[in-house]
Amino acid sequence: MTETSPRRLKGRSYAETRSAVLDLIRSSAGISRVELSQLSSLTEVTISKIVKELLLEGIVIEAGFGQSTGGKRPRMLKLNTGVLYAVGVRLGVSRIVIVLCGLNGKLIERVDLPGIGDEPPPEVLARVVGAIQGVIEARGIWRESIVGVGVASSGRRRGPLGWGADPEAAQTWESFDTAAELESLCGVPVLVENDANSVALGTFWSGGANASSNFMTVYMDQGIGAGLVIGGAIFRGASDNTGEIGHIVVEPDGLECWCGSRGCLETVGPPRGIVRRVMTDEGLAVLFDDQKSGDEAAIYERVLAGLSEGLPQAEALISHSIRSVAIVLLGLANTLDLERIELAGPGFAATGHRYMKELKRLIEKASFTRGVHTIAVELGGTGPDVAALGAASVVLHSSLTPHHLTA
């Protein structure tokens, strides 16, 4: 079992201690009170008090017996996934995804809605709340059983570039307090989190006993970003903007990026960057956008279709993206001394295995720590709901195990 509690629990507040004990239960398939005491270095009396509270609140249940070590077989503890729930929302320009999850972060139900488009925020959120209420009522869940709502969104925090390459969305959404509006409509706590951070925390929360507490998740949808987890907590930097790897320059004389620089990974690696390269090259535009529609999703689908047909121009676009992403991630692996890199998000759905293969090749060839320790490269969730699932885990992580927030 991976130990997920802080190294020292003695001397911490009772709330932090309870949080860490609950996290040990969460990250195990089943654990006894004796094992909790051993892993946390807390007395059995303290463990007994905390467990009693968690049982009374219904957060934890006793589930079967463990192996005897000479005396009575110990009762095993695990999360009660049928008493409390979290909702996750991915607000996208073209699609909104809403999920309902149990305490373990696993999907119970999903609803897809049309994206935000150019609709005013209050109207968008009214649609979201209506869908959430519909799911809750259909399941017969009391509103008091909802821990909260997590919202995953893209872009820069605390600044005027929050919606990135979608300037029309930025003008209407950046100054709008999404969390406050949703809280007033839903009557439950709401947390808004960066989409890459959401996916990283979702991986940590739902990973169980095998979850690493130090890793990086690279999330690619239309753009690309990263969530960095250290000790079970997101590393945020000075202004909550750690992980903007899309703005690492890979082509100094390349296309101008919306951030103001040139040749950022954002202009080369993710689907939006690939589409922009098509639209700025007359020959590629004839192949993949012959109707001059400017429809990003349709253009990218044509590139993928060309790839499956063996079209060299499509292969060149995807191969250039793969090399650029892998080089950036190798640099981060060397800089941060990472033990694991996860690739996740819809942008990896079609060709994620190729990105993973190239990154593994580069790491084996040029990682600074090769021969010292291995760096695992894994393909995570690539469905359209992965960020929404992560957003639900953000709520659970914050509400149930807040000791990680200051770890």
Side-chain angles (χ1 to χ4, degrees):
M1 185 186 336
T2 300
E3 183 174 346
T4 57
S5 62
R7 292 180 182 177
R8 295 186 300 273
L9 287 180
K10 291 181 179 180
R12 293 208 172 203
S13 70
Y14 181 77
E16 289 178 307
T17 301
R18 172 187 152 119
S19 167
V21 170
L22 178 56
D23 201 34
L24 284 171
I25 299 171
R26 174 201 66 80
S27 62
S28 68
I31 190 170
S32 69
R33 291 167 175 80
V34 171
E35 289 172 318
L36 285 173
S37 180
Q38 292 171 343
L39 286 173
S40 64
S41 298
L42 295 170
T43 67
E44 292 189 20
V45 172
T46 300
I47 292 295
S48 179
K49 178 182 178 182
I50 292 171
V51 168
K52 183 178 180 180
E53 285 183 2
L54 295 173
L55 288 169
L56 286 173
E57 293 169 20
I59 297 173
V60 168
I61 58 174
E62 292 181 330
F65 294 88
Q67 294 295 320
S68 172
T69 57
K72 292 193 301 182
R73 295 173 63 194
R75 288 185 177 273
M76 306 303 286
L77 304 164
K78 70 176 186 179
L79 283 183
N80 183 0
T81 58
V83 64
L84 295 175
Y85 306 86
V87 174
V89 179
R90 169 65 168 117
L91 283 179
V93 174
S94 60
R95 175 191 288 183
I96 296 170
V97 181
I98 301 169
V99 299
L100 176 69
C101 298
L103 284 186
N104 57 3
K106 303 297 184 183
L107 177 67
I108 295 174
E109 190 163 337
R110 168 182 152 186
V111 176
D112 286 22
L113 301 177
I116 65 175
D118 56 3
E119 194 175 359
E123 295 180 15
V124 172
L125 297 182
R127 286 196 289 120
V128 169
V129 172
I132 292 172
Q133 290 175 339
V135 170
I136 292 172
E137 291 172 5
R139 288 274 174 177
I141 297 172
W142 294 96
R143 189 177 67 177
E144 291 75 13
S145 297
I146 303 298
V147 175
V149 175
V151 180
S153 67
S154 60
R156 193 169 75 170
R157 307 285 129 178
R158 306 185 191 178
L161 299 179
W163 284 80
D166 299 299
E168 293 181 6
Q171 291 175 7
T172 55
W173 284 89
E174 282 175 4
S175 60
F176 189 80
D177 194 336
T178 299
E181 179 74 4
L182 273 181
E183 281 192 9
S184 67
L185 293 173
C186 292
V188 298
V190 175
L191 293 174
V192 178
E193 181 60 272
N194 172 272
D195 47 16
N197 288 347
S198 296
V199 177
L201 280 176
T203 295
F204 173 74
W205 185 267
S206 61
N210 297 319
S212 170
S213 59
N214 301 283
F215 67 95
M216 182 173 68
T217 291
V218 179
Y219 178 72
M220 188 162 75
D221 192 350
Q222 291 303 305
I224 189 168
L228 184 62
V229 174
I230 298 177
I234 286 291
F235 179 73
R236 298 184 177 279
S239 60
D240 291 345
N241 284 295
T242 295
E244 289 296 331
I245 65 172
H247 302 288
I248 294 175
V249 175
V250 293
E251 294 181 342
D253 298 321
L255 295 174
E256 184 176 358
C257 180
W258 60 264
C259 73
S261 188
R262 282 191 173 274
C264 293
L265 183 62
E266 189 88 3
T267 69
V268 175
R272 179 180 283 127
I274 292 171
V275 169
R276 189 174 171 203
R277 293 175 79 84
V278 169
M279 295 175 69
T280 54
D281 184 292
E282 185 175 345
L284 294 175
V286 169
L287 280 174
F288 303 117
D289 188 27
D290 57 342
Q291 301 299 316
K292 297 184 179 180
S293 65
D295 185 333
E296 289 188 3
I299 294 170
Y300 186 64
E301 286 300 319
R302 291 192 191 101
V303 172
L304 293 179
L307 184 68
S308 65
E309 294 165 5
L311 201 63
Q313 294 90 339
E315 174 62 36
L317 285 166
I318 298 299
S319 294
H320 188 51
S321 166
I322 290 169
R323 285 194 300 272
S324 300
V325 170
I327 288 170
V328 166
L329 297 186
L330 171 66
L332 290 170
N334 285 337
T335 301
L336 301 171
D337 194 18
L338 297 171
E339 64 183 18
R340 187 163 71 88
I341 300 174
E342 175 193 48
L343 308 180
F348 291 114
T351 55
H353 62 286
R354 291 188 55 182
Y355 286 86
M356 186 171 63
K357 181 179 178 180
E358 176 63 10
L359 180 55
K360 284 183 176 180
R361 185 190 71 80
L362 275 183
I363 285 174
E364 290 171 1
K365 175 185 177 182
S367 167
F368 183 76
T369 57
R370 66 187 187 280
V372 178
H373 71 84
T374 59
I375 302 174
V377 180
E378 301 171 1
L379 189 62
T382 59
D385 58 0
V386 64
L389 289 167
S393 293
V394 168
V395 172
L396 297 171
H397 185 272
S398 175
S399 300
L400 300 180
T401 57
H403 74 282
H404 278 307
L405 302 180
T406 57

